[in-house]
Amino acid sequence: VATSSSVIFLVVSGPTDFTLQQVSVTDEGTATDLNDQVRLALAALVRFTGTALDGYNQKQMVDLGTVVPQGININNVAIADGIVTVDLDGTIRLASGSSTEETLFAQQLAHTALLDSSLTALRLTIDGQAISELWGHLDWSMPITADASLVDGDE
């Protein structure tokens, strides 16, 4: 059975700031196209709960975490004109976070989803509906772009 892997972005908590670090993880399935690749990567990000990752050195895991709420589900992933639309189920509304956490959540999603140079931004919908606000800090009405300055050891 062939397995594929995805790169997800996890939060590194520094003494005064937060950065994102890419981590390679094994997928639950095989991607047949770019849409599948994005869906599998986001599924891996949602699955990660901050405890352990298969095949990833535990020592490196010490400072890695996630602000992706546990128990959320991805309804659908669609790509059109370079924009990745991620439709989450309504359980995301049960979560909340600070402005830093909401920004990190947006950036974890964007960095993980925008895995190909043809992809430029991420749009979040909930149960198929466009949203303008999630946890009260960011404007989600516009697509989110990946902020390269947040990535630890950016190439």
Side-chain angles (χ1 to χ4, degrees), residues 10 40 48 57 59 69 83 85 87 101 134 154:
L10 297 175
L40 286 170
F48 179 77
N57 183 323
K59 183 174 177 294
I83 309 266
T85 300
D87 186 51
E101 289 166 331
L134 184 61
D154 199 34

Side-chain angles (χ1 to χ4, degrees), residues 10-137:
L10 297 175
V11 177
V12 180
S13 300
T16 57
D17 62 346
F18 297 92
T19 56
L20 297 179
Q21 181 176 320
Q22 60 182 53
V23 177
S24 188
V25 294
T26 303
D27 289 328
E28 291 183 346
T30 306
T32 56
D33 60 17
L34 186 57
N35 203 64
D36 276 355
Q37 287 176 356
V38 172
R39 186 179 48 74
L40 286 170
L42 288 168
L45 179 64
V46 168
R47 270 197 322 274
F48 179 77
T49 59
T51 50
L53 274 175
D54 291 343
Y56 198 74
N57 183 323
Q58 195 64 40
K59 183 174 177 294
Q60 291 172 284
M61 291 296 300
V62 174
D63 299 316
L64 294 180
T66 182
V67 292
V68 177
Q70 289 189 31
I72 64 170
N73 295 296
I74 299 170
N75 291 333
N76 191 36
V77 174
I79 299 171
D81 301 322
I83 309 266
V84 176
T85 300
V86 179
D87 186 51
L88 297 177
D89 73 355
T91 56
I92 187 67
R93 291 272 187 214
L94 302 175
S96 65
S98 67
S99 59
T100 298
E101 289 166 331
E102 188 169 2
T103 299
L104 286 168
F105 174 61
Q107 289 299 313
Q108 276 190 273
L109 288 175
H111 280 279
T112 299
L114 306 178
L115 50 81
D116 184 90
S117 60
S118 67
L119 306 175
T120 57
L122 173 125
R123 176 174 280 123
L124 195 65
T125 58
I126 298 176
D127 291 328
Q129 301 298 308
I131 63 167
S132 59
E133 123 10 84
L134 184 61
W135 299 337
H137 309 287

